[in-house]
Amino acid sequence: MTITDDRPDTATDGPGNEVGKARRRKEDQRLITGRTRWTDNITLPGMLHLAMVRSPFAHATIRSIDTSEAKTASGVVDVVTGADIKDVQGVNANAWPITPDQVTPTHLPVAVERVACAGEIVAVVVARSAAEARDAAELVDVDYDELPAVLDLKEAANDTVLAHPDLGTNKSAFWQLDSAEQGSGGDVEAAIAEARTDGVVIEREFRQQRLIPAFMEPRSVVVDPTGEQMTVWSSTQIPHILRFLVAATMGIPESKVRVIAPDVGGGFGGKLQTTPEEFATIAISRRLGKPCKYTETRSESLLSGHHGRDQWQKLTLSAKKDGTVTGLKVDLLADMGAYVAIVGGGVPVLGAWMFNSIYKFPAYQFNCQTVLTNKTWVDAYRGAGRPEATFGIERMMDELAAELGRDPLEVREQNWIRHDEFPFTTVAGMTYDSGNYEAATEKAKQLFGYDELRAEQKRRRESNDPVQLGIGVSTFTEMCGLAPSRVLGQLNYGAGGWEHASIRMLATGKVEVITGVSPHGQGHETAWSQIVADRLGVPFDDVEVLHGDTQIAPRGLDTYGSRSLVVGAEAVVRAADKVIEKAKVFAAHLLEASEDDLEFKAGRFEVKGTDKGVGIAEIALATFAAHNLPDGAEPSIDADATYDPVAFSFPHGTHLCAMEVDTETGASSMRSYVCVDDIGTIVNPLIVEGQVHGGLVQGIAQALWEGAEYDEQGTLVTGSFVDYTLPTSADTISFVTDHTVSPSTTNTLGTKGVGEAGTIASTPAVVNAIVDAVRSYGIDDITMPCTPERVWKAIQAGKRPPVEGERDAQPHFDEGLPNQDDPGTSPATGSTASGSVSGSGSDSTEGGAR
């Protein structure tokens, strides 16, 4: 892997510097040798085990629960219903009400009177072993009165059947960003109207299917209520937030709650949650005064862990006849599921600032209606709002290019922000600090062999080859590093965006780094050690990174939204700089020199122009001994730092995908995939490569394989890995990855985020490639996942002569989003005018054929 560095010539990466080295991760030794400690490995004396009794119905009232037979089963200690712990079980909180009038149903950990989705907990069995608890759970007899369930997103927006009858509506919140109103751009309706007369208008509907964050380690929680302090071990991304919400909703003093996230086997946003299972385990453990453990089965994980995506997108793009974009309007209908999860309402809103992406739209409007259904609740999944936005705009830019008969990269380049225009404030009001889309795209084209593949594509089309070649483009940016606190406050987000770190200089010369971000596979221990080793001039192996325990790291806001490096590591850098400043006082005293005459380099303070010096490890020992300190000095050079960013960071990149599509069978195969990402300064290329590869596979999986499906009764029919199609290494190819470097100007290291980039960019690249391969059949969209059956049906539909009015007969996005001027009506779907083109992707499995 090579790196093109756009930093000034004065910035060097000399021999011996840790930042930039492809070091193997410190964490991996214990992970791959089985010496790690997952939550389910934890066993406490006298510990009991829990099994959840879950509703088989999507919507029902609970008439009665008979626990008598279960209570007499072997090993059973107790069977607890929601009514038994009603006043002490807390509540699953929504921390991000996106509007003051957001409709938010109360989400009890264990249902008391009614269930609103299949898999909701109605009782908990406590036994001496996990097997006995699961067996006894089968004996709990629950009498339900089944209610009508609303499962379709568009039908839910009609309010014909209510997910929660007591709320009177399925509409949770309507949120809008309008460039004209906020002064960042023009009137989008005027731009579209002008283009209908003398330009081009593209209208499409896209379906973001529901996905499941299928992390490697199922969720698990262990609670020890004994002693003065309750300890909770949980496979979670958010130990600090979990601690706060347990205290805030269960009436336990926060000082009496300790949360530990031990080694956590993946999350992808799926563990960015305070779960019903955590609250139920805590409530029952306290009720019995005994340690309790709950570990979910894989089918429970797929059924009741929160899901991701699940949106309908209607996009209207206007442009001049020469291809210059003039306006973009986004109408979004987003499924919340049965409840509004911890940040669920805000996830689709995160896309509001990213639909405009890297393009210079003069006018923009984003409308989002969130809706409740009787399905598992929806929340953050790798990328959280940004992949959905990138998919929408990158599909639209391909559609614009196709309408104009031009190369899709050429149309993008015509409209993107040039490297000499940074910093650039977008039509959505975001200021991008740095970037170079030209450099990333040119490198990607060379690695991909873009011109050669286009020539091959032309030959195949001319020869009517049954296997057609499609080339997909995705040029993207994303906002990551969730912060700053003031911005989040303006958005009514329930927490801040700051991060905390501490550095302890030990007497032996070793260094302890305490970080508030909590890793679940990202390699924090290695990357933080590299950063501190460089900053303090100490050996890499002398740095120990501690995390994930609210007793050891009492302050922090955890890991999500690609914030660990750009926010968490910046706090570490600032703590290290404070250590140096504190040590400087002691160095001057020990060297009998003025502080102004000292310079710090490679771990030593030296008197300028002399060979006199003292190492930082020697200073740590001297402060520990305290035999010879400046008058009034405290014997410590330890330091803390809290960092609150002033802006997001904006990584970007160009992803190119070549797909071969067999037009006789609909089978698609990936020929090549190249991505060139710009994530600012790279701390560890090996870790970056792993993050990019993993992200690519998850994004490609949405395009080709994954999708959560329910039957007409609201039962999840993709409730195992037999039915929910996760890719394996055998399903993917070797990717070509590379980087350019445009350092961020908003943090010391110049870093951006990488954890979500691959997922954000890859999905539209793959779908664009498949559509490109079969566009000559009159196809402009295929609903994800693009299975062979769906591709084949789209081809067959495309071969038929067009039927009068067929396009208009396709399902339209005509419900759920209130008109800007009349909240009681739906927005117009638009019409085709002279000089414009409009169309709508299909709501069928066949996809859209034009």
Side-chain angles (χ1 to χ4, degrees):
M1 179 180 68
T2 59
I3 297 174
T4 300
D5 195 338
D6 295 332
R7 291 180 292 186
D9 292 339
T10 54
T12 60
D13 186 12
N17 282 0
E18 282 294 335
V19 171
K21 280 187 179 179
R23 277 195 174 274
R24 292 186 179 184
R25 301 193 317 175
K26 286 184 173 183
E27 302 90 328
D28 289 349
Q29 181 65 26
R30 70 174 187 275
L31 290 172
I32 64 179
T33 57
R35 291 187 292 109
T36 186
R37 205 175 189 202
W38 311 111
T39 302
D40 192 47
N41 295 144
I42 295 167
T43 300
L44 303 176
M47 186 174 72
L48 303 172
H49 296 262
L50 274 54
M52 306 299 167
V53 180
R54 300 182 183 274
S55 169
F57 297 109
H59 196 196
T61 55
I62 302 170
R63 300 181 66 180
S64 65
I65 302 178
D66 184 353
T67 63
S68 57
E69 187 176 358
K71 285 182 175 179
T72 62
S74 173
V76 171
V77 174
D78 199 2
V79 180
V80 181
T81 67
D84 294 331
I85 55 174
K86 181 179 180 180
D87 298 328
V88 296
Q89 66 172 327
V91 65
N92 291 280
N94 168 239
W96 194 354
I98 59 173
T99 63
D101 59 352
Q102 174 178 289
V103 175
T104 309
T106 300
H107 187 185
L108 297 176
V110 182
V112 176
E113 298 176 347
R114 185 175 58 88
V115 293
C117 63
E120 191 163 353
I121 303 168
V122 296
V124 184
V125 175
V126 187
R128 301 195 183 281
S129 71
E132 288 173 319
R134 287 194 292 268
D135 287 345
E138 300 289 333
L139 303 177
V140 177
D141 185 11
V142 185
D143 185 10
Y144 297 94
D145 188 0
E146 191 173 2
L147 299 171
V150 58
L151 304 168
D152 182 83
L153 182 52
K154 293 184 179 181
E155 288 179 5
N158 292 330
D159 280 344
T160 305
V161 177
L162 298 179
H164 296 272
D166 56 310
L167 299 179
T169 181
N170 293 323
K171 295 183 177 70
S172 180
F174 177 75
W175 194 94
Q176 182 184 78
L177 186 155
D178 189 295
S179 66
E181 288 188 4
Q182 71 175 20
S184 57
D187 185 334
V188 75
E189 298 293 357
I192 294 169
E194 182 178 351
R196 291 194 191 281
T197 302
D198 187 27
V200 178
V201 174
I202 309 290
E203 293 179 298
R204 295 287 185 271
E205 277 188 56
F206 302 124
R207 183 72 167 105
Q208 281 280 326
Q209 77 270 39
R210 180 177 279 246
L211 301 176
I212 302 177
F215 29 73
M216 184 180 295
E217 177 206 15
R219 295 172 304 162
S220 181
V221 57
V222 174
V223 179
D224 184 0
T226 61
E228 292 298 314
Q229 189 180 48
M230 179 180 71
T231 303
V232 179
W233 292 264
S234 182
S235 179
T236 181
Q237 297 176 221
I238 52 169
H240 296 91
I241 294 173
L242 174 59
R243 180 192 190 211
F244 170 79
L245 287 175
V246 165
T249 69
M250 300 187 75
I252 308 171
E254 190 172 358
S255 61
K256 299 297 184 182
V257 181
R258 178 185 185 184
V259 175
I260 302 171
D263 288 307
V264 176
F268 313 121
K271 293 174 183 174
L272 169 58
Q273 198 65 252
T274 54
T275 69
E277 292 82 0
E278 287 168 330
F279 284 103
T281 305
I282 292 169
I284 292 169
S285 181
R286 297 182 74 212
R287 169 188 170 96
L288 300 177
K290 298 273 189 178
C292 290
K293 177 195 287 187
Y294 167 76
T295 300
E296 68 185 2
T297 64
R298 180 58 68 179
S299 59
E300 284 182 298
S301 178
L302 296 174
L303 171 67
S304 61
H306 80 245
H307 295 171
R309 312 288 192 253
D310 207 348
Q311 298 178 359
W312 271 106
Q313 303 173 335
K314 178 185 175 184
L315 277 71
T316 306
L317 183 149
S318 61
K320 297 178 181 178
K321 290 180 179 179
D322 70 354
T324 303
V325 296
T326 60
L328 178 66
K329 183 179 180 182
V330 178
D331 291 322
L332 205 66
L333 195 60
D335 192 359
M336 296 291 95
Y339 299 100
V340 187
I342 189 168
V343 293
V347 166
V349 167
L350 286 173
W353 295 277
M354 288 289 101
F355 270 96
N356 54 285
S357 190
I358 66 175
Y359 308 112
K360 294 184 285 189
F361 283 98
Y364 173 60
Q365 187 184 91
F366 172 91
N367 305 300
C368 177
Q369 177 70 62
T370 59
V371 178
L372 301 165
T373 62
N374 293 116
K375 295 181 181 179
T376 300
W377 46 96
V378 174
D379 207 332
Y381 174 61
R382 197 170 190 171
R386 283 78 50 80
E388 298 92 314
T390 300
F391 180 86
I393 187 58
E394 288 305 289
R395 288 287 295 111
M396 290 299 280
M397 294 304 289
D398 256 34
E399 294 303 296
L400 174 62
E403 176 60 26
L404 298 172
R406 293 174 57 189
D407 183 274
L409 271 177
E410 180 184 285
V411 172
R412 285 169 168 83
E413 183 174 6
Q414 177 180 340
N415 289 286
W416 70 35
I417 304 158
R418 299 189 311 273
H419 73 278
D420 56 0
E421 294 178 299
F422 290 96
F424 186 91
T425 300
T426 73
V427 71
M430 280 285 174
T431 298
Y432 299 170
D433 63 316
S434 67
N436 192 331
Y437 309 139
E438 300 98 311
T441 301
E442 184 56 36
K443 176 173 276 194
K445 285 180 67 177
Q446 292 175 8
L447 293 170
F448 190 65
Y450 187 84
D451 294 337
E452 294 84 351
L453 283 169
R454 282 293 184 199
E456 180 184 342
Q457 180 187 53
K458 185 173 183 291
R459 291 194 300 271
R460 288 200 190 189
R461 285 184 177 172
E462 290 173 346
S463 65
N464 292 319
D465 192 319
V467 179
Q468 288 290 303
L469 177 65
I471 297 171
V473 176
S474 176
T475 50
F476 84 105
T477 189
E478 60 153 323
M479 51 184 275
C480 65
L482 193 61
S485 298
R486 288 185 180 182
V487 173
L488 295 176
Q490 292 168 2
L491 296 173
N492 207 35
Y493 183 74
W498 53 266
E499 197 46 73
H500 187 77
S502 302
I503 292 182
R504 300 174 186 155
M505 299 298 299
L506 306 181
T508 56
K510 310 299 183 183
V511 183
E512 286 183 341
V513 179
I514 298 93
T515 178
V517 290
S518 181
H520 44 282
Q522 292 88 343
H524 290 28
E525 293 175 31
T526 303
W528 276 220
S529 294
Q530 291 179 269
I531 292 167
V532 171
D534 268 3
R535 211 73 182 178
L536 297 181
V538 299
F540 169 81
D541 290 328
D542 284 354
V543 183
E544 185 79 14
V545 180
L546 307 176
H547 56 78
D549 184 339
T550 61
Q551 193 100 314
I552 294 171
R555 299 193 67 207
L557 285 172
D558 306 322
T559 298
Y560 40 85
S562 297
R563 70 187 302 272
S564 293
L565 186 63
V566 297
V567 187
E570 181 67 13
V572 170
V573 167
R574 293 182 179 220
D577 288 348
K578 286 185 178 181
V579 167
I580 294 169
E581 286 304 307
K582 291 178 75 171
K584 193 173 189 178
V585 176
F586 295 98
H589 178 76
L590 294 171
L591 295 170
E592 297 180 338
S594 167
E595 291 181 39
D596 295 336
D597 292 334
L598 297 183
E599 59 182 1
F600 182 74
K601 186 177 180 181
R604 286 180 59 81
F605 288 96
E606 294 184 349
V607 180
K608 297 174 186 176
T610 75
D611 58 359
K612 291 177 60 179
V614 61
I616 198 165
E618 297 172 75
I619 296 171
L621 179 60
T623 57
F624 170 76
H627 296 160
N628 180 19
L629 302 182
D631 291 340
E634 295 181 0
S636 170
I637 57 172
D638 297 350
D640 300 272
T642 300
Y643 172 62
D644 198 344
V646 297
F648 296 94
S649 72
F650 298 95
H652 69 82
T654 297
H655 290 224
L656 301 174
C657 175
M659 297 290 294
E660 293 183 323
V661 178
D662 189 328
T663 60
E664 296 177 345
T665 66
S668 302
S669 61
M670 188 172 290
R671 164 91 166 263
S672 63
Y673 195 104
V674 168
C675 67
V676 175
D677 290 311
D678 192 323
I679 58 169
T681 302
I682 294 175
V683 174
N684 185 318
L686 191 63
I687 291 176
V688 166
E689 196 81 347
Q691 288 287 310
V692 171
H693 277 226
L696 290 177
V697 173
Q698 280 190 286
I700 292 166
Q702 178 176 7
L704 296 178
W705 301 297
E706 291 187 39
E709 300 289 342
Y710 287 81
D711 65 17
E712 294 179 355
Q713 286 72 46
T715 301
L716 182 70
V717 296
T718 51
S720 74
F721 286 154
V722 173
D723 306 295
Y724 188 82
T725 313
L726 281 183
T728 68
S729 58
D731 299 306
T732 59
I733 65 170
S734 294
F735 310 121
V736 177
T737 66
D738 213 324
H739 300 274
T740 56
V741 179
S742 302
S744 172
T745 63
T746 61
N747 63 68
T748 305
L749 292 170
T751 57
K752 301 179 183 179
V754 69
E756 298 163 303
T759 303
I760 290 169
S762 57
T763 308
V766 174
V767 175
N768 277 341
I770 294 173
V771 173
D772 185 53
V774 296
R775 193 178 288 279
S776 60
Y777 290 91
I779 296 166
D780 63 21
D781 191 39
I782 297 172
T783 305
M784 296 186 292
C786 300
T787 61
E789 179 184 10
R790 289 183 175 181
V791 175
W792 183 85
K793 286 184 175 180
I795 293 169
Q796 299 310 305
K799 287 179 178 178
R800 292 187 285 106
V803 177
E804 184 70 26
E806 183 174 43
R807 166 59 67 179
D808 292 335
Q810 298 289 354
H812 281 297
F813 191 38
D814 56 359
E815 300 292 345
L817 283 160
N819 184 278
Q820 180 180 350
D821 301 316
D822 181 4
T825 64
S826 299
T829 57
S831 60
T832 304
S834 175
S836 69
V837 59
S838 80
S840 172
S842 172
D843 185 17
S844 66
T845 57
E846 290 85 352
R850 296 183 62 205

